[in-house]
């Protein structure tokens, strides 16, 4: 039996697995449990021409759009919810530097289900009369062979790489997720089943023996994972269920900085480009501030 190999690596090494022009799916949902440490590293690495494929996106896509890393976004929504509009993304779509391809939220999720099932498309019966069909040439109309009624083929998400942030993982890529979880964690599972190139950032690296003690929580198996990174507070400012609360003040600072390209550039210089990796980011935000956000349960700390 072959000896297993550790997949533990640095953020930079993980970001190097993403090539210019790749199709990338980010786990989490809306403004919850986004893999922001890897998003920052993608920006530092200067990746270009990415297509982000998702269901409901937020600061992950907005930051990458503002940094010039994204060419196309395929999703149902990009916004900051209670903190306002995703202004970097909005400007990029309006000036034509980012192409927005819209899918309804549920069908955007179903695109990952198609990948998991080995299908090239997901069938839908409820898009008739919608401008989504008229404006998205990738959606194809076909006749239901069972009853002759019209249906629509929604192309699979087909991500080259998926990135998720989780409470805990071992060095081999076995991922522990909360036993009672919500949409952000379910999205992590969905994107991880759509590719065998999953990058995992984890609040905590745990022994494999601890994984074995509760195997039902290992919902992302090691064979799908290509890299594991230890990144405490790696979702900041978005929360991790039962591990870390949302940093509302930082989100407001981000939204205000996104009002103009100049202010956003200064924000990136302060927190992303001008710091020494993830540790420098944590220092810039403030360690005491981050510690105060911790929940202290749920497999994180």
């Amino acid at each position: 039996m072959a000896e297993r190999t550790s997949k533990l690596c640095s953020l930079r090494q993980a970001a190097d697995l993403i090539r210019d022009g790749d199709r990338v799916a980010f786990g989490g949902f809306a403004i919850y449990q986004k893999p922001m440490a890897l998003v920052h590293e993608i920006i530092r690495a200067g990746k270009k021409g990415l297509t982000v494929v998702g269901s409901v996106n937020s600061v992950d896509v907005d930051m990458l759009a503002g940094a010039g890393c994204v060419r196309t976004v395929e999703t149902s929504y990009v916004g900051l919810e209670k903190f306002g509009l995703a202004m970097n993304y909005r400007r990029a779509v309006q000036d034509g530097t980012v192409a927005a391809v819209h899918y309804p939220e549920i069908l955007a999720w179903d695109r990952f289900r198609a990948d998991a099932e080995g299908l090239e498309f997901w069938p839908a019966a409820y898009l008739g009369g919608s401008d989504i069909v008229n404006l998205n040439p990738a959606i194809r109309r076909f006749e239901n062979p069972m009853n002759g009624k019209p249906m629509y083929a929604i192309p699979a998400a087909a991500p080259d790489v998926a990135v998720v942030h989780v409470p805990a993982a071992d060095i081999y890529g076995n991922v522990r997720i909360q036993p009672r979880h919500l949409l952000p964690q379910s999205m992590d599972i969905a994107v991880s089943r759509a590719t065998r190139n999953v990058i995992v950032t984890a609040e905590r690296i745990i022994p494999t023996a601890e994984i074995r003690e509760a195997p039902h929580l290992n919902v992302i198996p090691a064979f799908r994972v290509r890299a594991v990174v230890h990144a405490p507070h790696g979702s900041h400012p978005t929360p991790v269920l039962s591990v870390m609360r949302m940093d509302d003040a930082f989100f407001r600072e981000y939204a205000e900085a996104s009002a103009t390209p100049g202010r956003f550039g200064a924000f990136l210089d302060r927190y992303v480009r001008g710091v020494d990796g993830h540790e420098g980011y944590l220092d810039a935000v403030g360690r005491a501030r981050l510690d105060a956000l911790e929940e202290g349960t749920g497999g994180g700390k």
Side-chain angles (χ1 to χ4, degrees):
M1 185 175 180
E3 185 176 348
R4 288 180 297 178
T5 302
S6 171
K7 298 174 183 179
L8 195 63
C9 67
S10 68
L11 278 170
R12 173 47 65 91
Q13 290 171 321
D16 285 344
L17 298 176
I18 300 174
R19 303 162 298 180
D20 289 350
D22 268 353
R23 297 174 61 83
V24 184
F26 294 103
F29 189 85
I31 55 174
Y32 303 94
Q33 203 159 318
K34 287 294 181 177
M36 296 308 298
L38 204 284
V39 169
H40 298 161
E41 199 62 39
I42 290 171
I43 294 171
R44 294 188 195 104
K47 301 296 180 178
K48 299 292 183 184
L50 301 178
T51 292
V52 176
V53 55
S55 175
V56 176
N57 295 88
S58 63
V59 63
D60 50 349
V61 167
D62 188 68
M63 187 175 285
L64 290 169
C69 300
V70 175
R71 179 66 191 96
T72 304
V73 177
E74 302 175 7
T75 190
S76 73
Y77 168 86
V78 180
L80 305 184
E81 293 198 334
K82 65 180 181 179
F83 302 105
L85 299 174
M87 293 304 298
N88 293 307
Y89 174 72
R90 179 172 181 156
R91 281 191 296 269
V93 172
Q94 288 176 333
D95 67 23
T97 56
V98 169
V101 182
H102 183 75
Y103 290 91
E105 180 180 327
I106 297 301
L107 284 179
W109 193 299
D110 286 338
R111 299 181 73 204
F112 295 104
R113 294 176 65 189
D115 288 303
E117 297 291 341
L119 303 175
E120 294 186 6
F121 70 90
W122 192 263
Y126 52 84
L127 288 180
S130 168
D131 272 346
I132 291 171
V133 174
N134 298 330
L135 298 175
N136 187 342
I139 298 175
R140 305 290 182 86
R141 186 179 185 274
F142 69 98
E143 183 179 288
N144 184 332
M146 304 301 290
N147 58 23
K149 293 182 178 180
M151 293 190 71
Y152 299 89
I154 314 302
D160 297 302
V161 183
V163 185
V164 298
H165 183 73
V166 301
D170 72 4
I171 63 174
Y172 304 115
N174 295 296
V175 174
R176 169 168 288 183
I177 202 165
Q178 300 91 334
R180 180 179 179 274
H181 55 261
L182 304 171
L183 279 175
Q185 296 74 40
S186 295
M187 194 69 206
D188 289 346
I189 298 168
V191 301
S192 72
R193 291 178 179 173
T195 178
R196 292 198 178 195
N197 288 318
V198 181
I199 297 173
V200 172
T201 60
E203 289 288 322
R204 190 161 64 101
I205 302 299
I206 61 177
T208 302
E210 192 172 332
I211 294 282
R212 292 196 185 105
E213 290 173 0
H216 62 290
L217 302 182
N218 175 215
V219 294
I220 302 178
F223 73 84
R224 292 196 175 277
V225 175
R226 191 170 178 191
V228 178
V229 182
H230 185 211
H233 302 293
S235 71
H236 182 269
T238 71
V240 177
L241 182 65
S242 300
V243 176
M244 189 172 75
R245 296 185 300 277
M246 186 178 297
D247 191 338
D248 286 32
F250 191 91
F251 251 119
R252 287 191 289 270
E253 180 182 352
Y254 178 90
E256 291 170 3
S258 301
T260 68
R263 289 168 64 182
F264 184 69
F267 178 93
L268 287 181
D269 289 341
R270 178 180 179 184
Y271 289 111
V272 180
R273 291 173 176 152
V275 300
D276 185 13
H278 185 55
E279 293 298 313
Y281 171 80
L282 299 182
D283 288 336
V285 173
R287 302 280 180 156
R289 173 181 182 169
L290 292 165
D291 289 344
L293 295 170
E294 291 182 1
E295 299 278 8
T297 60
K301 295 287 184 180

